[in-house]
Amino acid sequence: MIDSNPRLVSDSLKTLDVESLNRSNRAYYNLLKTISDDKTYVDFTSDSLINSVTYYYKSHDPKNPNLIRSLAYQGIVRTRMGIMDSTVYEPLREASRLLNATSQPNPSLGYLINYFLGNINYNGRNYISANEHYQKAKDFAQLEQDSVHLFDTYLAFFWNEMKMRNIVNGKNYLDSLSAFYNLLPEKDYFIFNAQSFYYDVIGDPVTALEREKAKLSLVRSQDESIDVSRVYYNISSRYVGLQLFDSAMLYAQIALDMIKDSTYSQNYLYHMKIADIAELQGNYTLANKYRKDAFEMYVNSAQDRFDTQIAEFEKRYDLTESENEALRARQQALRVIIFALILVIVLIFILMYARKVRRVTQIKLMQAEEKMRHQEIQAEIMRKEEGKRKWLIQLYSNISDRLTFLQGEFEKLTQRYVSSQPKVYKEMQTILKNTDTDLRDINRTLSPDEETFYSYTHLIDENGILNANEKMMLMLIACDADNRQLATFMNTTVESVRVRKSQLKKKMSENNLDISLFND
């Protein structure tokens, strides 16, 4: 009866006093309520009810076939809630395993489990596995001789084949769907929808447009909630295919005006549609306006989706933990007969909780101590590295000073051979010139890569503002090199270094780069 007339079942359940039922009947009542809510398109906001049912059958009646049904609807409810992770797949897979272990699998359950397993794989773009589950769902639907289930399976096959670009197979399933026209009036909307998509794919926008407009007359007769704005959006797309841009713009505007949820993550598509049509009309001002709105909505929706997913995961985790704890407490309370036993259980629970808190505290303390030791080691390494850098700077400065002295002595020596030994003088001048060139080219030779530069200065030059000499100067400044050492390293004067530092600081400030190195 719950398949043929779920609303009547739902109304009947409301006449029962749930609190007067024993645990077994209460679990069964909650299972029936979940199923009837699903079949009457009630929006699920929590899976706590079906979780309690599954917990009962797992703990107290694991041989009951209703365990399979509760596992199946645990996955279905979470699917209806928009959850896309493994908490949807696992209960359905367990239900499938238990069903296959029975001597005579219930075909209605077999259909249900495999249909939703197929949907999970379809949404995960695993179309081959989806096809396998849909095939099993079709076999079970034929066994139970349920035309609605058979139609839904053919519809799932159609979309799966079209996703794989198997147009011929998709057409075959579309023909099977079309055979149900007027036989299942509540399904005519979905037949038109599939036909519209198919004709648009094969390049027949006229027929596709006719099917989309036919959907409008069926929207109000559907039990399921239909997004009418989406129908107008599709009509607009079909007019674009016909290059009737004025009509396309009209229906696109209607679609946008009919959006009920301004926070819906796909709303940016409507703005993009109007922008594209406006561009085709040559109205670039309007196109730019809507494209900008679409971009802002997309960015906001992406952040909102991310925040919502985090909130849902956190909420889901908290709810599940608290609900399981409440169920355990309820089970214990119902079993308790003597007040003294209750007191003992409470005391044990308090002791275990205190022990757990103490253990968690100890673990956190150990982690904090370990983190502090790690930080101290890192600080010590950094101090040693800093000492090495300073020592290297001083070493280079001494070497450079010595080289400068040698160059001076070398210059004096060459003067003796200006006239008496011109050939020797020329060779000595060549050596002196090469030495000077090597010294000037040292910053090019030691030009750092981006990783080394960042490790010294903690600066990121994404736009290539700084040249190699400027990066080398910043690295030396980070190593506490003074102006005299900078002048020696860069083969220039102290005054020149001051000027270069001032110019570099101004350049970095103008390009929004951190100049804190100059303030140390």
Side-chain angles (χ1 to χ4, degrees), residues 481-497:
D482 57 29
N483 288 348
R484 185 187 64 81
Q485 291 170 329
L486 287 172
T488 300
F489 188 87
M490 304 181 74
N491 196 26
T492 186
T493 65
V494 172
E495 185 58 34
S496 176
V497 166

Side-chain angles (χ1 to χ4, degrees), residues 296-355:
E296 292 176 354
M297 293 183 69
Y298 178 79
V299 172
N300 292 335
S301 67
Q303 183 61 44
D304 290 342
R305 288 196 300 273
F306 181 71
D307 294 341
T308 300
Q309 288 174 354
I310 292 177
E312 287 178 351
F313 287 143
E314 292 176 345
K315 181 180 178 182
R316 173 170 176 70
Y317 178 79
D318 292 340
L319 285 174
T320 301
E321 288 297 315
S322 61
E323 289 159 0
N324 288 341
E325 186 63 30
L327 286 171
R328 284 192 293 269
R330 186 183 302 170
Q331 296 297 330
Q332 292 169 355
L334 290 174
R335 293 174 183 175
V336 172
I337 299 174
I338 303 173
F339 178 78
L341 184 59
I342 297 176
L343 183 59
V344 171
I345 293 174
V346 171
L347 289 174
I348 292 174
F349 175 79
I350 292 174
L351 289 173
M352 291 179 64
Y353 180 77
R355 183 181 177 184

Side-chain angles (χ1 to χ4, degrees), residues 107-206:
S108 179
L109 268 178
Y111 161 80
L112 199 66
I113 293 168
N114 282 284
Y115 178 80
F116 278 91
L117 282 172
N119 284 351
I120 291 173
N121 281 279
Y122 173 83
N123 291 327
R125 300 180 181 181
N126 190 356
Y127 304 122
I128 301 300
S129 294
N131 203 67
E132 294 172 357
H133 284 294
Y134 288 146
Q135 184 59 51
K136 293 178 183 177
K138 189 186 84 166
D139 294 340
F140 280 117
Q142 289 174 334
L143 281 175
E144 63 176 338
Q145 297 181 346
D146 190 310
S147 56
V148 173
H149 288 173
L150 196 59
F151 175 89
D152 289 340
T153 306
Y154 281 136
L155 186 62
F157 269 126
F158 168 77
W159 290 114
N160 198 54
E161 294 293 343
M162 295 304 287
K163 279 289 186 181
M164 293 189 289
R165 299 298 179 185
N166 295 331
I167 307 301
V168 175
N169 291 345
K171 178 62 166 60
N172 292 335
Y173 286 117
L174 183 61
D175 291 340
S176 299
L177 289 170
S178 300
F180 285 89
Y181 184 70
N182 280 338
L183 297 178
L184 298 173
E186 71 276 12
K187 298 296 183 180
D188 289 348
Y189 176 91
F190 301 99
I191 295 174
F192 288 147
N193 188 50
Q195 289 176 344
S196 173
F197 181 83
Y198 171 77
Y199 286 118
D200 184 60
V201 168
I202 65 173
D204 186 357
V206 174

Side-chain angles (χ1 to χ4, degrees), residues 22-28 51-67 70 324 326-336:
N22 60 31
R23 285 176 295 168
S24 174
N25 284 338
R26 187 179 301 176
Y28 187 49
N51 288 347
S52 67
V53 175
T54 304
Y55 177 81
Y56 171 80
Y57 285 119
K58 277 187 174 181
S59 303
H60 303 286
D61 199 0
K63 301 294 183 181
N64 194 318
N66 283 332
L67 172 59
S70 67
N324 288 341
L327 286 171
R328 284 192 293 269
R330 186 183 302 170
Q331 296 297 330
Q332 292 169 355
L334 290 174
R335 293 174 183 175
V336 172

Side-chain angles (χ1 to χ4, degrees), residues 227-250:
D227 185 359
V228 185
S229 68
R230 191 67 188 178
V231 180
Y232 283 100
Y233 178 92
N234 291 340
I235 292 175
S236 174
S237 297
R238 304 300 180 256
Y239 272 119
V240 171
L242 292 169
Q243 296 188 350
L244 298 175
F245 303 131
D246 290 343
S247 298
M249 178 63 78
L250 173 64

Side-chain angles (χ1 to χ4, degrees), residues 64-112:
N64 194 318
N66 283 332
L67 172 59
I68 304 175
R69 188 172 279 105
S70 67
L71 285 167
Y73 272 91
Q74 198 172 35
I76 293 170
V77 167
R78 290 169 182 171
T79 300
R80 298 282 194 237
M81 292 171 62
I83 299 172
M84 303 291 288
D85 57 23
S86 60
T87 60
V88 175
Y89 178 72
E90 291 300 332
L92 285 166
R93 186 175 67 171
E94 185 178 355
S96 178
R97 181 182 62 79
L98 293 174
L99 183 69
N100 293 333
T102 60
S103 56
Q104 291 183 331
N106 183 307
S108 179
L109 268 178
Y111 161 80
L112 199 66

